Amino acid sequence: MLGGLAFLAGLCAGPVRELLLAPRIGGLAAAWLEAAVLAPILAWAAWRCVPAGLTLPRRAGIAAVALAVSLLGEAALSLAFQATGLATARSPRTPAEQLPGILMLGWLAALPMLRR
């Protein structure tokens, strides 16, 4: 559930970043702004989805599943964009613009560990 919520949050924030923010403030600033908005949303989702009192291995399992669900959803969406030709219309992100997304994946994996 946590991974699905993370994917859905990114699915909603991504078009806002790409279509509204990036043309106005630049891709890098838009990526960091998206991460700043999503970080507390993911923290709230983790506190709602991860029960208190779980052992470390159970929390690690939740983190692994959440990360896998989020990455699989992203991969499926990427394949759909490539199949429809939408991927060619989008300008590629620089490594600096990809960094906030990578850090958000780390945040998603860390959140179940923070729930005690």
Side-chain angles (χ1 to χ4, degrees):
M1 187 168 162
L2 179 59
L5 289 174
F7 175 71
L8 288 175
L11 189 63
C12 293
V16 172
R17 179 194 69 234
E18 293 290 330
L19 299 174
L20 298 176
L21 295 175
R24 289 174 175 77
I25 64 173
L28 183 58
W32 282 111
L33 183 60
E34 178 189 24
V37 169
L38 287 181
I41 292 170
L42 290 179
W44 175 84
W47 260 246
R48 301 288 298 180
C49 294
V50 179
L54 292 180
T55 63
L56 182 61
R58 301 266 326 245
R59 287 184 280 142
I62 290 171
V65 169
L67 195 56
V69 166
S70 184
L71 289 173
L72 287 172
E74 187 72 29
L77 187 62
S78 178
L79 288 173
F81 282 168
Q82 288 175 0
T84 61
L86 288 173
T88 58
R90 186 183 160 280
S91 60
R93 281 196 247 163
T94 66
E97 291 172 334
Q98 293 175 2
L99 179 62
I102 294 167
L103 293 175
M104 290 306 298
L105 288 172
W107 178 240
L108 176 62
L111 282 170
M113 301 303 155
L114 301 175
R115 180 77 162 131
R116 300 286 172 163

